[in-house]
Amino acid sequence: MALRYTNYLMAFLFGLSAIAQINDPDPFFWSFIYTAACVISVLYALQKLHWMLAAILALVTGIWALTITPDLTLSGFQNILEEIGMSYIGVEAAREFSGLMIIALWSGVLAVSSGKRKKD
């Protein structure tokens, strides 16, 4: 029951993240991925999520995050919350990596949880 309400919160946060991507240089991909995370959270809360959909999203975002790792820097993570602009090297990569990892981890939790729920 708690996971159900947590999914509504996550759906809201992912929805806000999708809207925030409008100013991004490549808004289509980022808005799409955050919207997909929002949708699977709502589907889980409504008990309509198939575990494979969440697993695919977890896999795609996990692999995407791995492609960003060469651009990550320690200063990027240190300044991730302090810098609104992108004046520090690595801040954009750290933000993108963090967002993708949040989606990958949350989607993984939902895939496992919805898979267990189907077996019960």
Side-chain angles (χ1 to χ4, degrees):
M1 185 64 105
L3 189 57
R4 182 180 192 183
Y5 292 115
T6 304
N7 272 286
Y8 286 124
L9 173 64
M10 292 303 288
F12 176 73
L13 295 174
F14 287 136
L16 287 178
S17 297
I19 293 168
Q21 299 308 312
I22 292 170
N23 291 334
D24 198 76
D26 49 354
F28 175 76
F29 296 111
W30 291 104
S31 293
F32 177 79
I33 208 72
Y34 280 112
T35 301
C38 176
V39 167
I40 68 160
S41 294
V42 170
L43 288 174
Y44 184 90
L46 298 174
Q47 299 182 351
K48 304 267 187 216
L49 178 66
H50 191 279
W51 69 270
M52 195 175 292
L53 184 61
I56 289 169
L57 184 61
L59 185 64
V60 167
T61 54
I63 291 170
W64 190 356
L66 289 176
T67 66
I68 295 174
T69 55
D71 299 329
L72 295 175
T73 64
L74 181 59
S75 66
F77 281 107
Q78 290 172 337
N79 298 301
I80 198 168
L81 297 176
E82 296 174 8
E83 185 65 29
I84 292 176
M86 298 293 180
S87 54
Y88 288 102
I89 294 175
V91 170
E92 182 178 11
R95 287 181 181 163
E96 290 176 349
F97 178 82
S98 299
L100 289 169
M101 288 308 298
I102 290 168
I103 295 170
L105 292 172
W106 188 250
S107 300
V109 166
L110 296 184
V112 170
S113 182
S114 60
K116 285 182 181 179
R117 187 169 58 190
K118 296 288 183 197
K119 290 179 184 177
D120 294 339

